[in-house]
Amino acid sequence: MEPAGEPVARPSLVQVLAHPDDDLYFINPDLQRALETGHRVTSVYLTAGEADGRNIDTRDLSRMDGEPDFEGYAEARQQGLRAAYADMVTGDRESEWARDVFMFSTGVTVDRSTLVAAPHVQLVFFGLRMIDPESEFPDDDVLPVQLTELWNGEISAQPTLIAAESPLRRTQEISKDGLLRSLVELLHRARPDQFWTMDPDPWHTDWNEEEGPKSSDHHDHTATAQFALAALERYIGEGGVPPLVDNCVGYGNKHWPSNLTEDAWAEKKRVLNVYTSADGHVCSRRYCGDRQLSDGADIRRYGWSTRARYEGGTDWLHLQADGRLAAYAVLGGRAAVWTESKPGSGTWDGPDLLPGHGLTPALALAPDSTGGVHLVGLRRTPGPDGQVDVEVVRMWRQAHTGEVLPWESVGNPNERSEDWRRCREVGVPEAVAEPTGRLHVFMRNFGSGVSARRETDEGWGRWEDLGGRNIQDCLTAVLKSTGRIELFAANRSGGVHWYQEAVYGPYKLQDGVTSADPDAWRPVGGLTPVQIGRSRMVFFYREEDSGEVLCVRQRPDGRWNGRVERLGGHGGTGRIAALRQQNARQDSIVLARRNARNRLSTAVVATQGQGETPQWTDHDVLIARPPALALDHAGRVVVAVMGPDARVRVMRQATRDAAEGFGPPTVV
């Protein structure tokens, strides 16, 4: 935490996490990319992470015979984390750290570690106790306490634990307000461009009518996300600049196809082995690392993926009716727009923050026949006792003037249950406008299927259950030239397709559209459809484990080819952007993706397919989200990316020839 008011020359990343390894399991390799690029990184850990106090491999059948040492285990985890960060930044796990006490104006003190060789990297430990009722404690006066209880208001304050070699000298009782105000002060000092925390609304794995959901994630992760988002909202309310926010999925990763390649997982595990002191080094300290995990990170499948809870699509770049391009994103819970000053000018205005707040990080765009665009998002409104109200909202923006209509609630597909715990478990909304301009909204529901709601002459119709099961939270809808709407998604086994047989008609489900090829692994993330004929579609997706871009084409009879096309492009995460470009000489599809180094890669394939693997071009542009593609006023393809500094970068074709590639990036 550098002094407030000093100029910041490099992008600033703040991540607020529960335990001293959450970033290594759930955020890497993205964290390592930020460190490699020299970003200013402030990592905050709310709990001491002392668990049962036994720093012994969990696979050791005699581990419960060991005496608990809560202070020692907390210290071991901190030492392991410092070693992992030092390794990622300098290549030397023994690189020196400066460790001191920092006091906030609230009176709350924290254990702060600064990497001497790279002082822009800091680790901040609040040390709140995570006393599990199932653990054994040598002191009968120690009562179970969890971060969730502090957030819900069940306890007035939570005690801290001082790690064995910490410079802190006294424990504290930190109140909810004291923790929030301390986090707000930290944000004012760090002034983040990018803000990461955990998933505030994790999916359930089981449901009991009396006890409610059994969460797929650790309760500390969920409570940490609530604290982090509340602190961020206060910070913005006090004049802080809204950053780019991501909520990272935790233990729930293990229930879905893996999105990291073998190489990416090996890189991730190597850093984890440094943290757990399983990297073969000779330890000269008393506390060296988290030996509860040892070298067994492989058996915990939740590390095989790094995914965002609210993953955005690739439709966020839009050609307005006035010929100008506009790019949309969510910054700090607020919708933001960047707009070309003139068609094709290369100069942009923005970001302009639109009215309203409380949005999750993803936003769907649905242009309509009037030249306007519908913005559809998910709004979270915290309530009393830890409850939260989650609803779909829609704003309409007029292209020529930029005027907007206020956010309108579209509701929640689980609202009939009148149970906020069910309503919080919805996916990222997708939207498309039918030829009359009326909006259709789609989203994953509590039961892991898909629900839809459409506008009518009388207003919003009822929520429709479209079926499906175990749907991955990445829906993509498209309005075809025939006026019919189609929806694409993936579940745990393959691709899923909904279609209309008639304009304005009901949706029909077509399952297993990628399952016929025995040599192709499951899709991970969303399917990106492109219309390639009046009645034909093609879609692109990433393959599980390899990250390779695969393509499936539709036959004239409406069925899908049994063999997929492999298009290369191994590695990376997030959806594939795809756009058809036609002229008198060519008919091509331009592809863009986030590659394994978190940079932009582009390629071109023939629309009708020739079975050839395209040549991918890597661009030295660091990106934080899936890219977007759009045609400009002259029919040239423009690719837009969101950087980790919360700034948009655009690259444009010099001519309408896909083979000529893109010009240099322009920072908006």
Side-chain angles (χ1 to χ4, degrees), residues 74 109 115 125 127 135 152 194 247 276 399 415 457 470 527 539 600 623:
T109 54
L115 186 58
F125 302 96
S135 299
N152 293 345
Q194 197 169 15
N247 299 97
T276 62
E415 60 196 9
D457 292 336
N470 298 324
L527 313 181
F539 62 80
L600 173 68
I623 63 178

Side-chain angles (χ1 to χ4, degrees), residues 407-542:
W407 289 104
E408 170 195 3
S409 176
V410 184
N412 185 302
N414 307 318
E415 60 196 9
R416 293 183 62 184
S417 71
E418 298 183 349
D419 188 332
W420 68 274
R421 297 169 300 179
R422 289 177 178 265
C423 290
R424 75 189 297 187
E425 287 193 44
V426 290
V428 174
E430 170 66 334
V432 65
E434 64 182 33
T436 62
R438 291 191 289 252
L439 194 66
H440 292 222
V441 174
F442 310 89
M443 65 193 312
R444 185 187 192 272
N445 56 39
F446 177 81
S448 80
V450 172
S451 295
R453 197 173 195 184
R454 60 178 98 185
E455 282 187 299
T456 69
D457 292 336
E458 292 76 33
W460 287 103
R462 62 175 180 81
W463 283 101
E464 306 170 45
D465 185 355
L466 301 188
R469 57 189 177 86
N470 298 324
I471 297 296
Q472 298 184 49
D473 189 18
C474 297
L475 309 182
T476 306
V478 60
L479 175 66
K480 296 177 64 175
S481 60
T482 58
R484 297 172 176 86
I485 295 172
E486 300 196 7
L487 178 70
F488 293 80
N491 57 25
R492 286 179 181 156
S493 58
V496 188
H497 173 221
W498 287 264
Y499 62 97
Q500 293 175 311
E501 291 184 331
V503 179
Y504 317 130
Y507 291 98
K508 292 195 172 184
L509 171 63
Q510 186 182 34
D511 204 346
V513 297
T514 63
S515 304
D517 192 334
D519 296 323
W521 287 70
R522 300 177 294 178
V524 57
L527 313 181
T528 302
V530 176
Q531 186 174 359
I532 58 172
R534 185 168 54 190
S535 301
R536 293 182 64 202
M537 302 289 292
V538 62
F539 62 80
F540 304 87
Y541 65 94
R542 291 186 187 269

Side-chain angles (χ1 to χ4, degrees), residues 379-390:
R379 183 167 63 194
R380 300 183 75 258
T381 305
D385 304 323
Q387 298 184 23
V388 63
D389 180 43
V390 178

Side-chain angles (χ1 to χ4, degrees), residues 63 86 117 122 161 166 204 242 270 287 326 332 350 386 434 453 581 635:
R63 72 179 304 275
Q122 293 188 329
L161 178 76
S166 171
H204 69 284
R270 187 193 65 79
Y287 307 102
E434 64 182 33
R453 197 173 195 184
Q581 184 180 36

Side-chain angles (χ1 to χ4, degrees), residues 72-83:
Y73 182 49
E75 180 67 30
R77 296 188 75 171
Q78 290 190 22
Q79 292 285 14
L81 190 69
R82 282 186 283 270

